[in-house]
Amino acid sequence: MSANPADTPPSGPTSGAGNGPAVSRREFDAVFEAVRTWGHWDLADRGAWNRVAADHVRRAVGGVRSGVVVPMALPWNTRPGPDNRKPALHHMTDLGDVESPEPTTHKDFVGADYHGKGVTHLDALSHIAYQGLLYDGRPAREAVGAAGARFGAVSALGPLVTRGVLLDLPAVLGVPWLEPGRAVRAGDVVAAEKALGVTIGEGDAVLLRSGHGRRRKELGAWDPDAASAGFHVDAVPLLAERGIALLGGDGDSDVRPSPVEGVHSPVHALAVAAMGVPLLDNLDLEALADATAGAGRYEFLLVVAPLNIPGGTGSPVNPVAVL
């Protein structure tokens, strides 16, 4: 495969399964070098979020038409399963039965090992290292320790308000979902833009709907670490060329199994460690798919507000789309 998106054949999308073509480590490393943006920004631990300036925000806000608001977080998942190996925690700490003065109060505790498949979350730039280096070439051993991240923490990102673009591949293909293991390639992205009437631009957030949520609802849970639909490596140079600020989906953006031997999450490595693009994992995109189809437009205002966790490698989030 080529590291140059211009060399990728703009073939139309297909609904067939397949995570390929296979990518060698040499080819993968060439792509990593081609899309790398190290040294581009003074505020390096904000990475590609530096692309989103006030003008981007104004344009995104100005594109709101109906005012329909669509949240995209999965329900807080406390039940173990093949796609939730470390369930989130939720329990009551006060039932209001031990206090004498009014009013009584009810309190609860929540917690999560959220970097998995069961919680909608944001990956900050400290979450992923490739060959021992975080984004901007920062040595991971020096930047991340037991107390958290000293570079690329989620607290450095702050909120993001920008234009979101939904690539609804099942809608384009006329299928209910993409089967786990199906790779979304550069040609699929181009074909989806044409079919959906939208073009990815600088500072955009790109969200990939594979239909993961609908498939899970109808057929039951499976292990998405073993098989899930997502981007192939050859789609990343195109997204890099467009200058995106955020990437996400109803999976974790990577097709699994990985087409790159020895690299289990190649899209994570390219997006986060090479391009400085944070990732949104495990979104619920079913309501957004219905809303965008009903509106006949696949762009919207996107608001992402991660928790302000100093040293955090990410955060649970509830992103919101406004049409």
Side-chain angles (χ1 to χ4, degrees):
M1 62 163 288
S2 171
N4 185 346
D7 295 336
T8 303
S11 58
T14 61
S15 58
N19 71 329
V23 180
S24 71
R25 285 295 290 274
R26 180 184 59 80
E27 291 172 322
F28 177 77
D29 288 344
V31 175
F32 192 98
E33 290 299 315
V35 302
R36 196 176 68 170
T37 60
W38 296 1
H40 276 45
W41 295 291
D42 291 337
L43 299 176
D45 51 4
R46 285 180 53 79
W49 283 20
N50 283 290
R51 291 193 170 108
V52 180
D55 285 346
H56 291 86
V57 177
R58 283 193 290 268
R59 285 196 296 271
V61 172
V64 172
R65 297 179 186 175
S66 67
V68 170
V69 177
V70 184
M72 289 178 276
L74 295 172
W76 195 247
N77 193 345
T78 60
R79 307 181 72 174
D83 55 353
N84 193 23
R85 297 175 184 175
K86 298 179 180 179
L89 303 176
H90 178 219
H91 62 260
M92 300 304 295
T93 58
D94 191 338
L95 294 178
D97 56 358
V98 295
E99 301 163 68
S100 52
E102 297 286 1
T104 54
T105 60
H106 304 93
K107 303 174 186 176
D108 53 355
F109 168 90
V110 294
D113 188 349
Y114 58 87
H115 282 301
K117 308 300 183 182
V119 176
T120 302
H121 67 271
L122 177 79
D123 291 342
L125 302 190
S126 55
H127 178 51
I128 297 293
Y130 181 63
Q131 296 184 337
L133 298 177
L134 300 176
Y135 179 68
D136 213 43
R138 308 297 178 99
R141 289 184 179 273
E142 298 176 9
V144 184
R150 294 180 289 277
F151 171 83
V154 70
S155 54
L157 291 173
L160 177 72
V161 179
T162 193
R163 187 180 79 136
V165 173
L166 180 67
L167 297 180
D168 190 343
L169 262 293
V172 172
L173 295 165
V175 297
W177 55 71
L178 304 184
E179 284 296 330
R182 203 291 202 177
V184 174
R185 303 189 61 193
D188 296 317
V189 174
V190 173
E193 288 180 307
K194 183 177 180 180
L196 301 174
V198 67
T199 301
I200 298 165
E202 172 116 11
D204 284 351
V206 176
L207 307 182
L208 171 65
R209 177 178 176 260
S210 69
H212 182 115
R214 180 175 174 183
R215 188 183 193 278
R216 187 185 190 280
K217 181 178 180 181
E218 295 189 19
L219 301 183
W222 71 96
D223 180 4
D225 283 324
S228 60
F231 288 109
H232 188 273
V233 168
D234 75 3
V236 178
L238 173 64
L239 298 172
E241 185 182 66
R242 300 292 181 84
I244 66 171
L246 178 67
L247 185 63
D250 52 9
D252 70 356
S253 294
D254 267 286
V255 65
R256 300 184 189 283
S258 168
V260 186
E261 185 177 359
V263 182
H264 64 80
S265 302
V267 172
H268 274 64
L270 294 173
V272 179
M275 296 162 56
V277 172
L279 296 177
L280 282 175
D281 292 347
N282 313 321
L283 296 170
D284 182 350
L285 296 177
E286 296 308 297
L288 181 60
D290 290 342
T292 51
R297 53 195 297 263
Y298 289 81
E299 59 179 310
F300 43 87
L301 172 69
L302 178 71
V303 180
V304 182
L307 299 176
N308 186 2
I309 306 172
T313 62
S315 167
V317 288
N318 182 15
V320 173
V322 186
L323 282 71

